[in-house]
Amino acid sequence: MSACVRIRHDHTAHSSPPSRASGIKRPHSPPPPRRGGRFRIAGADLSASITVFLIAVPMSLGLAVAMDAPLEAGLISAAVGGIVAGLLGGTPLQVSGPSAGLTVVTAELIQIYGWRTTCAITIGAGLLQILLGSLRAARGALAVSPAIVHGTLAGIGVAIALAQLHIVLGASPQSSAAANALALPEQLGRTSPAAPLIGALTISVLVVWPRLPGRIGRAVRRLPAALASVAIATAVAAVAAPGIARVDLPSWRSHALPELPQGPVLALATAVLTVLLVASLESLLAAVAVDKLTADRAGGRTADSSPPAPDAPAAPRVQRSDLDRELRGQGIANVLAGLLGGLPVSGGAVRSSANVRAGATGRAATVLHGVWVLLAAGLLVTALEWIPLAALAALVMVVGFQMVNYAHIRNVHKHREFLVYGATITGVVLFGVLEGVAIGIAVAVAVALHRLARTRITVTDQGGQHLVVVRGQLTFLAVPRLSRTLGQLPRGGDAVVELDGFFMDHAAYETIQDWSDAQTAQGGRVVFTGRSGGRIAEPASAAHSCCRPWTPWRNHHCHDRPDRPGQPADARRAAATRAAFAPDENPGADRGPADSAGAEADARAADATAGPTGRSDTPGDGAAVPRRTGAHRLASGLSSFQRNTAPLVRDELARLAREGQRPSQLFITCADSRLVTSMITASGPGDLFTVRNVGNLVPPPGSEAGDDSVGAAIEYAVDVLKVESITVCGHSGCGAMQALMGTRPDTPRTSLWRWLRHGLPSLERMTSRHHAWARISGRLPADEVEQLCLTNVVQQLDHLRAHESVARRLAEGALQLHGMYFHVGEAQAYLLAEGASAGSGVDEVFDRVGPCDPNHAHPYDITNLSDPTSLTALGDPGDHAAVSVPTGAAGPADPTGSGELERTSA
């Protein structure tokens, strides 16, 4: 596959790295420091810092209560995390402070070693963070399985929630999560109502506050929910429960500072490593999440995926995280927090996401939030001492529940790693953080080995030919069973070996290859296939081909590449990916693993030759490459077909020429050039008898003499070819529907107007009160154009039923009608519900076709839309006919110019 990639061997001055003195910045190097720059504070940063401050104060106090630490320690950590980590960290918008993930760990350390030794442990963990950041080990920390990381955080969240529930109930938590769970029934029996009611009020406000409706709700929601819940609970407690336990901030003069650690060296080292592991992972994961939130904001995407307003100002660009610098900054913050008698510090997802959503543009917001916390610790002591402990405990309990993220559970379940996730949670809750991580790693290794070793091999005798099906990965562990099974097959016999796995090591490959060579030498025939039935063997003609040459749209990218050196790398990579994973449209030809491997090599080579802007670094790439003319594109495409595709399909097409066409489906669709029927239906020659016209219209019979082309195609398909189904396919952004909606009484009587008159019944149907609106399952149509596109499909099915030949075959039960809608931008197909397609349903709903949805595998469709990789499941591919319907349109079908008018001929 290397023949398709241009490799530069000349080492010119252009390819050499720029010197530092040249002033040219390397693509991924950090920006040069600003000479004489100042610490700039934007208005957005000031407002964002206040928002984060209002969240951080109650959160810091609550976490200090949860850890049974001095309450002022939470404020110290919030101030140090904001100022120090904000100035020195590698993630400008990340807000650091007391860590929810370290709550259980720190509480256990305080209980075992006391507060002053815990501060010394925090200093040790910070020093190790500085060392790891200097060694550039931050990226390696993210190599831990996400199931283990999220399981650890979820287990910590469960432990936090159980502990804080006791404080909400007016008691003190036990020493472990298991003890807290066992003590709950007894605690419930002797609970006074004041603290639980204040806790329930806090939780209720936390849940309801972001959902307040109306204009008043939008104005009130500017106040953070955490501050609002604590403030309301404090006000209610001051009136209704004056004797409830409240925050007690001791004098700063009695604040305890660290001391030299006392205890077993091994136990202390384990404690330092535990704080290091949890604090680093939580900070790095939060940094990655902040990058994603920032990118979404810069791209105009919000939490509800709604597009930005047209006149909205562009979001500021923020530098991407430097994870090693972030780890060093967190380490310095932890060292300083430990020296000042504060809690361990890490990046917080709650505070950081609030900072991003509040519009922060740089470090100023993070640093200012720390300054406000520092001022509050000195000036607002009296106000803070009115806060009930039950309110803070309820706030932290909700944070603990939020750490058990349903999206993470669904994700690990989808990747079949829920066992690892569950084992990690159980280990953290029952035994501790470090023990839970070790259990998670052990289970992950065991699961990986089990999957690697679980290989099922079955043999079926199919009348003289044996089918050997191998399910799972082929490694040296499966070689004994594989060799024994293959050795039991008759020597010199025919066999088909179906390999359904993603990995084969060298030992398994040699075993299969030796057996295949022996069978072939003794007169047998061995064919290797994948799960979809396509053969695994590379044809000689494809050895030097960039793409598997079959589908024209993919060939277009292939033969365009040599003349377009400036094509972006992601476009070249997409073309290579399409080539690797596209369905095998020629089942009669051999296919080999080099097809996909070569495409991947193509993509890697495209990346290798791409510069930071996504363009090739070869000389001359900076100049714009003119677009090919139509004649040049046509000649190039024909040449590519004759060179790559014709040798593979010549025998199959010769058979079809002798036997004639036998399509089983008539496919009526629009002439829009973006609608490639063979691609979206995974069909080949002979599968579809295609009628394409402007707007996929079906004129009613006898409407006008000049519109008999569609009727003739329908009669020929139904009466002569005996098709078993007819599909009317509309699509998004249809220019014909847009033109139809813009029709006015003074519209010029052109050929296009005369043709589009057949769509007027669709427009009338959409505006009529006697018909239900067609709609898409799961969502409403995007606009009235999409609504008309859907309605038009339903209306044209009614026109189809008016044709005599169609009505007769429908009455005999020998024909089925289907409605289809294809969303071009989403590459998503939708099928009309069966009742509506048959004309008997009330609701006209188009259901989404999923990648593996058996409900949409219609028995009479030669194109199985639920499995686009299966081309031969419902019959031999053959005869692909297309009929061009002369609409007489003088202009293109798409007046917006979004696509080229595509015409085909029989």
Side-chain angles (χ1 to χ4, degrees):
M1 307 303 293
S2 59
C4 299
V5 181
R6 296 180 300 171
I7 302 176
R8 296 179 55 198
H9 298 286
D10 58 321
H11 300 280
T12 63
H14 296 284
S15 61
S16 61
S19 64
R20 294 187 179 182
S22 65
I24 300 175
K25 185 169 66 71
R26 297 183 181 180
H28 299 292
S29 62
R34 211 182 291 172
R35 297 176 184 257
R38 298 178 180 178
F39 186 74
R40 300 180 182 275
I41 301 177
D45 290 331
L46 182 61
S47 61
S49 69
I50 296 175
T51 299
V52 179
F53 158 72
L54 296 177
I55 297 175
V57 169
M59 188 75 68
S60 301
L61 292 174
L63 291 175
V65 171
M67 298 177 191
D68 197 21
L71 297 185
E72 67 271 17
L75 299 177
I76 291 174
S77 294
V80 170
I83 298 173
V84 177
L87 284 173
L88 304 179
T91 310
L93 299 187
Q94 174 156 283
V95 181
S96 302
S99 166
L102 282 168
T103 301
V104 178
V105 177
T106 308
E108 186 177 359
L109 293 179
I110 293 173
Q111 186 176 9
I112 297 175
Y113 300 108
W115 170 244
R116 301 181 68 183
T117 299
T118 301
C119 292
I121 291 173
T122 301
I123 296 173
L127 292 174
L128 285 181
Q129 283 182 313
I130 297 173
L131 176 62
L132 291 177
S134 301
L135 295 175
R136 300 186 177 277
R139 184 67 61 178
L142 297 179
V144 181
S145 169
I148 297 175
V149 174
H150 296 308
T152 302
L153 296 178
I156 292 172
V158 172
I160 290 173
L162 288 173
Q164 297 311 295
L165 182 57
H166 282 274
I167 299 179
V168 171
L169 295 176
S172 298
Q174 304 298 317
S175 59
S176 66
N180 283 324
L182 294 175
L184 269 179
E186 181 183 356
Q187 179 61 41
L188 290 172
R190 51 186 177 85
T191 297
S192 59
L197 289 176
I198 293 298
L201 175 63
T202 306
I203 296 173
S204 300
V205 175
L206 276 172
V207 173
V208 174
W209 195 263
R211 298 171 174 81
L212 291 175
R215 182 180 303 174
I216 298 178
R218 284 195 300 271
V220 169
R221 285 200 304 266
R222 295 180 179 177
L223 191 68
L227 178 66
S229 61
V230 173
I232 293 175
T234 301
V236 172
V239 176
I244 195 172
R246 303 178 189 275
V247 169
D248 182 15
L249 287 173
S251 171
W252 287 103
R253 297 177 181 177
S254 61
H255 181 64
L257 296 177
E259 65 178 3
L260 289 177
Q262 300 176 359
V265 176
L266 182 60
L268 289 173
T270 303
V272 171
L273 290 176
T274 304
V275 174
L276 167 72
L277 174 67
V278 178
S280 301
L281 281 178
E282 188 172 18
S283 297
L284 295 177
L285 287 174
V288 173
V290 168
D291 276 349
K292 185 178 184 304
L293 287 173
T294 307
D296 288 346
R297 185 182 70 177
R301 296 184 296 273
T302 59
D304 57 356
S305 299
S306 57
D311 56 348
R317 297 179 63 86
V318 180
Q319 182 184 352
R320 191 177 180 183
S321 295
D322 182 343
L323 296 183
D324 294 307
R325 179 181 174 182
E326 178 65 29
L327 193 56
R328 292 194 300 270
Q330 294 291 334
I332 296 173
N334 271 314
V335 170
L336 189 58
L339 288 173
L340 296 176
L343 298 173
V345 171
S346 75
V350 175
R351 296 181 292 259
S352 300
S353 61
N355 192 36
V356 174
R357 291 191 173 94
T361 63
R363 301 179 185 274
T366 304
V367 176
L368 284 176
H369 128 271
V371 173
W372 306 143
V373 172
L374 196 60
L375 292 176
L379 303 178
L380 300 179
V381 173
T382 303
L384 295 178
E385 288 182 339
W386 280 93
I387 301 175
L389 291 180
L392 295 179
L395 175 65
V396 177
M397 185 173 69
V398 171
V399 173
F401 280 125
Q402 290 174 344
M403 293 173 71
V404 186
N405 194 309
Y406 176 71
H408 293 158
I409 296 176
R410 184 174 54 190
N411 198 29
V412 298
H413 184 270
K414 180 176 67 176
H415 290 91
R416 298 188 299 170
E417 291 186 331
F418 186 78
L419 182 61
V420 179
Y421 182 85
T424 306
I425 290 180
T426 305
V428 170
V429 171
L430 295 181
F431 306 109
V433 174
L434 205 58
E435 293 84 353
V437 172
I439 291 173
I441 293 175
V443 173
V445 172
V447 168
L449 290 176
H450 173 69
R451 290 175 179 172
L452 201 59
R454 187 183 63 180
T455 305
R456 292 174 295 173
I457 305 173
T458 59
V459 179
T460 306
D461 188 354
Q462 297 181 334
Q465 183 183 30
H466 288 81
L467 173 64
V468 182
V469 180
V470 181
R471 306 286 191 208
Q473 319 314 317
L474 276 174
T475 65
F476 66 94
L477 299 173
V479 165
R481 281 187 295 137
L482 178 64
S483 179
R484 182 171 59 252
T485 301
L486 295 178
Q488 294 173 354
L489 298 178
R491 296 185 178 181
D494 295 340
V496 176
V497 181
E498 181 180 317
L499 303 176
D500 178 21
F502 300 99
F503 177 77
M504 179 190 300
D505 69 2
H506 190 69
Y509 173 80
E510 284 198 345
T511 300
I512 294 178
Q513 187 65 43
D514 293 343
W515 170 80
S516 176
D517 292 343
Q519 288 289 97
T520 304
Q522 295 176 7
R525 183 171 179 267
V526 179
V527 176
F528 294 94
T529 71
R531 188 172 188 178
S532 62
R535 296 184 182 182
I536 302 178
E538 184 179 24
S541 60
H544 301 288
S545 175
C546 294
C547 302
R548 291 194 306 173
W550 180 253
T551 323
W553 72 279
R554 193 166 61 241
N555 256 2
H556 165 78
H557 288 277
C558 212
H559 63 245
D560 260 5
R561 183 173 359 199
D563 291 343
R564 297 179 65 186
Q567 185 182 14
D570 55 351
R572 296 195 296 272
R573 190 182 310 114
T577 304
R578 287 195 294 268
F581 294 97
D584 186 354
E585 296 92 346
N586 185 18
D590 290 340
R591 288 284 180 262
D595 286 326
S596 57
E600 292 173 6
D602 236 8
R604 289 194 298 270
D607 285 338
T609 59
T613 61
R615 292 188 176 274
S616 172
D617 286 335
T618 52
D621 283 356
V625 178
R627 185 174 180 179
R628 293 184 170 194
T629 62
H632 190 187
R633 185 184 297 275
L634 175 64
S636 180
L638 292 175
S639 176
S640 178
F641 170 82
Q642 295 300 144
R643 179 178 65 252
N644 299 321
T645 308
L648 302 179
V649 301
R650 186 168 284 117
D651 293 339
E652 179 71 7
L653 291 179
R655 181 188 68 82
L656 297 175
R658 292 192 305 268
E659 300 175 1
Q661 60 171 328
R662 295 189 304 274
S664 60
Q665 182 173 150
L666 168 61
F667 199 84
I668 304 175
T669 188
C670 186
D672 193 294
S673 64
R674 299 165 297 180
L675 211 64
V676 185
T677 56
S678 60
M679 179 183 70
I680 65 177
T681 60
S683 58
D687 292 342
L688 303 180
F689 187 80
T690 306
V691 174
R692 304 190 68 157
N693 62 54
V694 176
N696 48 274
L697 301 178
V698 181
S703 57
E704 279 189 19
D707 297 328
D708 287 337
S709 180
V710 177
I714 293 172
E715 290 179 12
Y716 185 76
V718 173
D719 294 335
V720 179
L721 297 178
K722 304 295 184 183
V723 297
E724 297 168 334
S725 67
I726 303 177
T727 299
V728 176
C729 175
H731 68 95
S732 62
C734 182
M737 297 300 104
Q738 295 176 22
L740 192 62
M741 294 195 66
T743 302
R744 298 185 303 273
D746 58 343
T747 302
R749 300 306 193 255
T750 62
S751 299
L752 179 59
W753 178 86
R754 285 191 292 271
W755 171 253
L756 288 180
R757 282 189 304 166
H758 301 299
L760 291 177
S762 301
L763 189 60
E764 295 172 0
R765 184 188 190 103
M766 187 182 77
T767 58
S768 172
R769 296 180 178 272
H770 303 291
H771 295 280
W773 275 14
R775 60 190 187 277
I776 295 178
S777 178
R779 68 172 178 86
L780 294 175
D783 50 32
E784 56 183 358
V785 174
E786 187 172 59
Q787 178 66 63
L788 182 57
C789 292
L790 299 172
T791 303
N792 183 59
V793 172
V794 180
Q795 183 64 36
Q796 302 314 312
L797 288 175
D798 286 348
H799 290 178
L800 262 177
R801 297 186 192 94
H803 284 262
E804 180 181 355
S805 56
V806 174
R808 182 177 65 256
R809 291 285 301 281
L810 287 174
E812 296 170 358
L815 183 66
Q816 288 187 347
L817 301 185
H818 303 297
M820 175 179 165
Y821 175 74
F822 185 78
H823 195 289
V824 178
E826 298 174 353
Q828 177 62 56
Y830 299 84
L831 284 181
L832 184 61
E834 292 186 6
S837 294
S840 59
V842 177
D843 291 334
E844 298 163 1
V845 180
F846 288 78
D847 294 322
R848 181 180 182 274
V849 179
C852 299
D853 189 354
N855 296 326
H856 290 138
H858 295 284
Y860 294 103
D861 286 350
I862 53 84
T863 54
N864 186 348
L865 296 178
S866 66
D867 186 6
T869 63
S870 174
L871 295 173
T872 58
L874 297 171
D876 294 334
D879 326 334
H880 186 242
V883 175
S884 175
V885 179
T887 62
D894 187 355
T896 63
S898 56
E900 299 172 356
L901 180 62
E902 179 179 271
R903 295 179 182 270
T904 55
S905 58

